[in-house]
């Protein structure tokens, strides 16, 4: 997912006047820092052009609906304009809201905006505003959770009013806590200022935290991102809250930093604004200095019709803004619904597996009753199910007609994400079905494809629900070069001279359109080569992602 705007939305612990004063002061200081060094005195003198190609506008209003203040900085660059907007807003007796947006506006309408980095202004504002999100403090750097803080942090995780994700880092065993915090955690979470609530568990607090959150634990140097709506009593809810392992952090800190920021950035960009901020009117910039009264009069007379058109355009823009807000709310609800459906699916899958096990036990007992104890030979139980994706990959090697050619590292990272879920079990079930199908095809016992096999599986063989099997990707995926390349994986030269093939066939692992992983495979069983699995990992890019 490609998130290109930076957005911070918090409430201030100061009153409206105090918040406005601090925002104005920090903004001016930021504009004077290298490399900007803009002429702030020009703004104080009533001119909005504070440097060549750089304008700073401010507007405010107070009325029965509340008060707002806004600062907008526009910096012209060769490829477009960088726009930074700060809004403060108060309605009634509620808190003062603060919104900071940074975005790139390309000159070329066909060009993609440049992704915005977390501005230093965000941390500067957090240092003075005593910012909050629901019950939690929003800080520039992570706060340390001591033993006495655990209950309060759990309350924050479960707070219905929380909008931001909570990122909690743990400390590896045997590692100095202060060194781990300073050298690893602090640099890793620095881009999350204003995007997430940041914590690091003191080693003494970690067992208390994990004891209270049995299904949502974080330990051994892992870092967990808790979405809004944590349910500590629901085991399956754990899979909604991503875990990054210590291995992922240490092996590639830059990649880990980028991956950790993706979810908070996406939530900040796509979440609807609070009603208070969404009701702030469109900014009307000041007229540039240097235009005389007579010239203004002439322009007003000559362009009267144009102003009417602009007014109509403004009204249309407000209508579109309302539509966009409604769509964002619907999208957020749909995403939350998809995530919850995935969790419910996981619960149902566990129940189904338990029911199947009970059926096997009952069938076993029935054979005993029908055949008698002497004539009955108990069925030896098979090997235990793999406990991790690392073990799953190891067991594929024992399947003569199933071959894994994908990136093992991508698959192994699922172990960090699958805590509390049945992804591993579902993947193993799919592999057993692929194994039995490939063995039967190699022995000439079937001429059907894998989906047909699962629709009418022979007795004693493994199968999965045919609805989880997709024979090929959609036309939009196959015709888009980047998406097709994502689904092209290695195979031996005797399978294809180019040593790679497009693997559109895939299996859905778990519930949810885009939440759960996918297994992509190429069926070469008709040529006795077997099944080639090119990918087991997160859902690849398509129109829904």
């Amino acid at each position: 997912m490609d998130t290109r705007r930076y957005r911070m939305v918090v409430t201030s612990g100061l009153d409206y006047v105090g918040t406005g004063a601090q925002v104005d002061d920090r903004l001016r200081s930021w504009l004077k820092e290298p490399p900007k060094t803009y002429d702030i005195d020009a703004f104080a003198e009533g001119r909005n052009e504070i440097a060549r190609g750089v304008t700073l506008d401010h507007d405010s209003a107070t009325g029965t609906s509340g008060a707002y203040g806004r600062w907008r900085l526009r910096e012209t660059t060769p490829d477009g304009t960088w726009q930074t907007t700060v809004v403060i807003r108060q309605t009634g007796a509620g808190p003062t809201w603060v919104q900071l947006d940074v975005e790139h506006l390309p000159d070329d309408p066909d060009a993609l905006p440049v992704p915005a980095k977390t501005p230093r202004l965000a941390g500067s504002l957090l240092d003075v505003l005593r910012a909050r999100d629901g019950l939690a403090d929003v800080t520039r750097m992570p706060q340390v959770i001591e033993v006495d803080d655990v209950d309060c942090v759990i309350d924050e995780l479960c707070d219905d009013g929380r909008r931001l994700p909570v990122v909690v880092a743990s400390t590896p065993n045997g590692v100095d806590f202060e060194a781990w915090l300073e050298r690893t955690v602090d640099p890793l979470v620095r881009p999350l200022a204003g995007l997430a609530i940041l914590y690091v568990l003191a080693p003494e607090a970690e067992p208390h935290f994990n004891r209270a959150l049995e299904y949502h634990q974080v330990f051994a140097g892992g870092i967990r991102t808790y979405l809004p709506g944590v349910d500590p009593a629901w085991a399956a809810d754990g899979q909604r809250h991503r875990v990054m392992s210590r291995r992922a952090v240490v092996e590639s800190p830059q990649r880990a930093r980028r991956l950790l920021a993706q979810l908070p950035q996406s939530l900040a960009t796509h979440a609807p604004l609070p009603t208070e901020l969404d009701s702030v009117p469109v900014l009307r910039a000041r007229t540039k200095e240097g235009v005389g009264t007579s010239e203004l009069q002439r322009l007003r007379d000559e362009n009267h019709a144009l102003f009417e058109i602009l007014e109509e355009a403004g009204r249309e823009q407000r209508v579109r803004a309302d539509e966009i807000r409604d769509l964002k709310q619907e999208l957020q609800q749909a995403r939350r619904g998809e995530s919850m459906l995935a969790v419910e699916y996981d619960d149902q899958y566990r129940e189904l597996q338990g029911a199947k096990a009970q059926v096997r036990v009952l069938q076993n007992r029935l054979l005993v009753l029908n055949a008698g104890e002497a004539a009955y030979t108990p069925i030896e139980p098979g090997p235990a199910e793999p406990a991790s994706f690392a073990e799953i990959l190891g067991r594929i090697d024992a399947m003569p007609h199933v071959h894994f050619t994908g990136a093992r590292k991508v698959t192994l990272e699922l172990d960090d994400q699958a805590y509390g879920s049945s992804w591993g079990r579902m993947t193993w079930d799919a592999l057993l079905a692929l194994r039995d199908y490939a063995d039967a095809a190699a022995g000439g016992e079937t001429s059907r494809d894998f989906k047909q096999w699962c629709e009418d599986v022979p007795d004693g063989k493994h199968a999965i629900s045919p609805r989880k099997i997709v024979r090929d990707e959609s036309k939009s995926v196959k015709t888009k070069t980047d998406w097709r390349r994502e689904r092209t994986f290695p195979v031996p030269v005797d399978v294809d001279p180019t040593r790679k093939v497009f693997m559109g066939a895939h299996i859905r692992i778990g519930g949810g359109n885009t939440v759960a992983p996918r297994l992509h495979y190429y069926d070469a069983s008709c040529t006795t080569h077997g099944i080639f699995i090119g990918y087991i990992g997160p859902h690849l890019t398509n129109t829904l992602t």
Side-chain angles (χ1 to χ4, degrees), residues 381-401:
E385 293 178 350
S388 66
F389 280 92
E391 191 176 344
I392 287 174
L393 292 182
R395 293 205 195 177
I396 293 178
D397 295 337
M399 299 180 179
H401 300 107

Side-chain angles (χ1 to χ4, degrees), residues 394-445:
R395 293 205 195 177
I396 293 178
D397 295 337
M399 299 180 179
H401 300 107
V402 178
H403 318 283
F404 182 76
T405 65
R408 297 176 63 87
K409 185 175 181 180
V410 174
T411 304
L412 293 175
E413 287 177 353
L414 290 177
D415 281 327
D416 301 331
Q417 302 295 328
Y419 184 84
S421 78
S422 295
W423 291 352
R425 179 185 294 174
M426 295 177 192
T427 302
W428 182 240
D429 288 344
L431 287 170
L432 291 177
L434 284 168
R435 180 201 64 185
D436 287 357
Y437 162 71
D439 290 347
E445 299 171 17

